[in-house]
Every structure is written in structure tokens, then in C-alpha cells.
Amino acid sequence: MSEHANLLRRHRAVMPSWMALNYQDPIEIVGGKGNRVTDAEGETYLDFFTGILTNMIGYDVPEVREAVERQLATGVVHTSTAYLLRGQVELAEKIARLSGIPDAKVFFANSGTEANETALLLAAYARRSDQVLAMRQSYHGRSFGATGITGNRAWTNLSYSPLNVHFLHGADRHLPQFAGMSDEAYIDACVQDLRHVLATATGGDVAALIAEPIQGVGGFTMAPDGLFAAYKEVLDEAGILFISDEVQTAWGRTGQGFWGIDNHGVTPDMMTFAKGLGNGFAVGGVVARGDLMDALHAVGLSTFGGNPISMAAANATLDYVLDHDLQANAAKQGTTIIRGLREASARFPVVKDVRGKGLMFAIELADPETGEPSPPLAAALMEAARERGLLVGKGGLYGNVVRMAPPLTLTDAEALEGLGILIASLESVTEDAAAKAATGKTA
């Protein structure tokens, strides 16, 4: 048995079966530089999924590495929030300023799940209510509360929750009742549904709406720009808080705004963040109105949240994003790739949709005969791209979406390289699907 096969055997023996691995022959990544990674077999790949949107500015970035090494050299890896943490204060100041939230304060945790749990606690406490509004097809984390507000059965194990949750429309324009609607008509229909939900399914004292500006696990489905501003007008009438889950959409990734919610022209009461901020180091958090953050009466902390190492990495990463105007680069490279995929998609009957903003884009696959979602075609596209040297991800309510979020440092040449691999991979998948269809018809 090869060392690779032995590692896979050991993984399956001690790791949970629900912790899925990509690809029929999973890979072990052992090296990274720039926007490329190398596996244990020596194969090198252009990375368009970045550890699920986490290695935001690529691999082995000197500014981040040196910041972490300077902190390590002090001998202090952890002290706890019982002491002043300079890096934590400095990062909080930056995020509060960038948030646009009045009198903002920041609490650091370790992940997006923890961040969302904190935001839900703040909202429930402020409103003295367990009622929460969330979006269909959403994903907010793996904890008990976070799965309760996740609108995707593939990621929800239990039918009960510590929260009383009602799910809204907003990213489901594929449904027959919304077919052919303009953005304005769809937004109006969603707002009327929100009013109806509030009038029929709630006790009137709803704590908050939590929503992803672009749904990550949902396959980068998204509400039309302006929907959340329209929703907030209704929420404000009842004093309901709005939480924007920016775990995947923050830091300029959409190209159109520094935060994903910027596309909707509205400032939320709270935003949660994680993923790319530490460029691979574990960091998450909440930025919220100071009155909401300060309201809790009990003592609280996160043992590892805001630790010196993750703060060193996060400060260096955020500074790099701002200093190099990576939001503008996301807009530029995303336009190249999304436009190229849309232009090519007309000749690929397996492609149902190409969507995205900036360096956050997806290809939805469907059976060319029936138009039904096709997870096997999505899996085939992933394999075809990997064979050609490109790593991508997957998602979607039905598991039929290949989703991608390259590093914000992607170059012009790398954008064209990735686009070329994707088009070649779609050609291969389309040819294979046509051959299988022809074989089935002649059988």
C-alpha cells in the first residue's frame, strides 16, 4: 500500500464519515506559494478555492509570515483577554472604522460559527426574544444554534433548535412562482412575504434577521441588489435587528464593496466575519453597534479569540488588502472570469447558470436532457479541472454547483489561465455527457 493510500485509510478509520473529502482520489496539500499549492505526489495546482475562502491573499505571504514570526519570537503565543492585547485593539479599531456601523465595537472569536452564535446572543438579549428570521438555502455554521438558522437540509441534522426560526425568500428566483420576474417585482414579492410572515408566524417581537449577502454553501446564490435595504425598512418598523453574515463576502471579495452588504446600500446593526481575515490563521468575530455589544450583563470571553498570533496574522492580512487595493483587483479579475464563462456557457448544455460578483463565482450544472440539478456533472467538472491543474469547490442546495473564490491577489495571467482550464473542463464534461446520452439512447 502506498503512503498516500495508507493516509487515506487512516483518515477514514479515525475521522467522522460526514467530514467529506474532495475528489475520488483525495489529495494531501504539502506546500504553497503565491496562488498555487503542491500535493504530496508533487502535482502543482492553481488554487481557486483557497481552503474554502480562507487563504484570501494566497500562500507564504512574506508580510503575514513575518508578522507571525515576530510575535512568536516574543515567546508569547497566548495570554488571554484578561490582559491588554495590543494587536487585538489595533485590529478592532480598523474593523470598527471600516464597518460603517455607528459607535461600533468588536468581539473576536475563532470561527464564523462562533461569530454567528455571538451575534444571535446579542440580538436575542437585546430583543428578549428567541424568534429569528433567516433565508432559505442559507448556511451559518455547524453549532446547535447556527444549524437552527441554516436553510439547507443537507447541513441540518436536527429538526429542533434553541431558536424559533422562520425562513424567507430572497435567493430562490429559480422557483416557478418567481419565474420571469424583474428585480423590482421579485423584491416586492419578497417584501410582501416578509410582512405576511411577521403577521402570521411570529409573536411580533422578532429578534433579528440574519442573512448572507451571497450564500456560500448555497452555491453563491444571492438576492438582487437592494433586497436587504427593502427588508430593513420593514424590520425597522418593528425594531427587528439586521445581522449580515460576512464570513465569506467581506474584505472586498465581491469587488463592488468592502462588505458584501454594501451592494444593497444598507448598514446592518451587526456583521459577522471570519475566513479570510487571518489568511489561514483562525479568527472570527462580530462588529456591532456599541449599545448592543455592551448590553450583556454577564461576564464573557473567548479563550483563544483575539490571541496574539491570530491578531498578528489578521492585522498583516487586512493591511495587505488595503495597501494593495485588492477590492479593485477582485473586481477586475472577477469580471474577466465571469464574463468569459458566460460567453462560453452558451455552447455547453450542461451549464444552467454562471453567477457571482468579483472573485466569488459559480457554475451551476444541470442534466442537458431534463434540466434537473446534476450533482454528478458538478463532480465531473471538479475532477476535470483538477486533472488540468485547478482546484475548485462545490455547493448548492442540490450539490450541483461548482463554486470558486480565488485569492484576491490573483494576477491577470492566472485569471486567464484559470478561465482557460474551466472552459476546457466544461468541454470535456459536455462531451462525456453527450456520449453517455447517445449510448443510453442506442441501448
Side-chain angles (χ1 to χ4, degrees), residues 102-125:
D103 303 314
K105 289 194 172 185
V106 180
F107 176 77
F108 291 109
N110 301 288
S111 68
T113 292
E114 291 183 26
N116 285 331
E117 288 282 351
T118 303
L120 292 168
L121 171 63
L122 295 175
Y125 188 90

Side-chain angles (χ1 to χ4, degrees), residues 122-136:
L122 295 175
Y125 188 90
R127 294 282 291 161
R128 294 299 194 271
S129 172
D130 68 345
Q131 297 179 95
V132 174
L133 303 172
M135 306 297 290
R136 297 184 182 196

Side-chain angles (χ1 to χ4, degrees), residues 101-106 122-123 125-128 239 241 268-270 287-297:
I101 295 174
D103 303 314
K105 289 194 172 185
V106 180
L122 295 175
Y125 188 90
R127 294 282 291 161
R128 294 299 194 271
L241 301 171
D269 300 288
M270 308 181 218
V287 55
R289 284 174 15 210
D291 61 309
L292 295 172
M293 191 70 83
D294 285 340
L296 301 181
H297 69 268

Side-chain angles (χ1 to χ4, degrees), residues 32-35 55-68 279 316-317 320 324 409:
K33 187 75 174 176
N35 299 327
N55 297 301
M56 180 170 68
I57 58 174
Y59 297 85
D60 195 25
V61 180
E63 289 85 345
V64 177
R65 172 168 36 82
E66 290 165 7
V68 171
N279 203 49
T317 300
Y320 192 99
H324 294 81
T409 49

Side-chain angles (χ1 to χ4, degrees), residues 159-439:
S159 61
Y160 49 92
S161 165
L163 299 166
N164 187 351
V165 185
H166 302 282
F167 292 97
L168 304 179
H169 298 291
D172 50 8
R173 295 178 72 170
H174 62 283
L175 296 176
Q177 61 264 44
F178 304 125
M181 280 188 175
S182 65
D183 285 355
E184 293 76 13
Y186 179 64
I187 289 173
D188 183 65
C190 291
V191 169
Q192 294 307 316
D193 178 70
L194 169 59
R195 290 190 180 278
H196 195 252
V197 168
L198 292 175
T200 61
T202 74
D205 55 345
V206 173
L209 164 64
I210 184 168
E212 305 158 274
I214 300 177
Q215 295 181 329
V217 170
F220 296 172
T221 45
M222 69 191 82
D225 290 352
L227 173 68
F228 292 118
Y231 270 174
K232 195 169 189 306
E233 289 183 11
V234 179
L235 301 179
D236 287 347
E237 293 172 9
I240 300 168
L241 301 171
F242 178 40
I243 305 165
S244 183
D245 180 340
E246 299 277 350
V247 169
Q248 298 197 27
T249 50
W251 324 121
R253 177 163 289 284
T254 71
Q256 296 179 13
F258 195 71
W259 307 93
I261 200 63
D262 290 347
N263 297 319
H264 292 265
V266 64
T267 301
D269 300 288
M270 308 181 218
M271 292 189 287
T272 59
F273 56 84
K275 294 284 189 188
L277 178 59
N279 203 49
F281 287 85
V283 56
V286 182
V287 55
R289 284 174 15 210
D291 61 309
L292 295 172
M293 191 70 83
D294 285 340
L296 301 181
H297 69 268
V299 176
L301 56 79
S302 172
T303 297
F304 295 107
N307 71 78
I309 297 297
S310 67
M311 293 297 95
N315 271 298
T317 300
L318 184 53
D319 288 347
Y320 192 99
V321 169
L322 296 172
D323 292 345
H324 294 81
D325 194 9
L326 294 189
Q327 178 182 328
N329 191 58
K332 176 185 178 183
Q333 308 304 349
T335 296
T336 294
I337 297 171
I338 295 170
R339 180 183 295 156
L341 288 173
R342 285 177 174 161
E343 290 173 352
S345 65
R347 55 192 177 93
F348 301 130
V350 297
V351 175
K352 185 174 184 178
D353 190 26
V354 172
R355 54 179 174 263
K357 290 179 185 289
L359 286 176
M360 191 173 184
F361 49 89
I363 304 170
E364 183 172 352
L365 286 302
D367 186 299
E369 298 288 325
T370 66
E372 292 298 309
S374 178
L377 285 174
L381 181 57
M382 288 185 68
E383 296 287 353
R386 178 201 166 183
E387 290 171 4
R388 291 164 175 78
L390 183 71
L391 298 184
V392 298
K394 59 183 175 181
L397 182 63
Y398 308 107
N400 65 315
V401 178
V402 170
R403 59 184 180 126
M404 291 156 280
L408 302 187
T409 49
L410 197 72
T411 66
D412 293 355
E414 289 168 338
L416 291 173
E417 178 186 353
L419 174 61
I421 291 174
L422 288 169
I423 291 174
S425 299
L426 283 168
E427 289 172 345
S428 174
V429 170
T430 300
E431 290 172 2
D432 288 347
K436 288 178 182 178
T439 300

Side-chain angles (χ1 to χ4, degrees), residues 15-27:
M15 310 301 278
S17 59
W18 40 261
M19 204 170 77
L21 291 165
N22 283 345
Y23 307 113
Q24 292 180 354
D25 184 19
I27 65 175

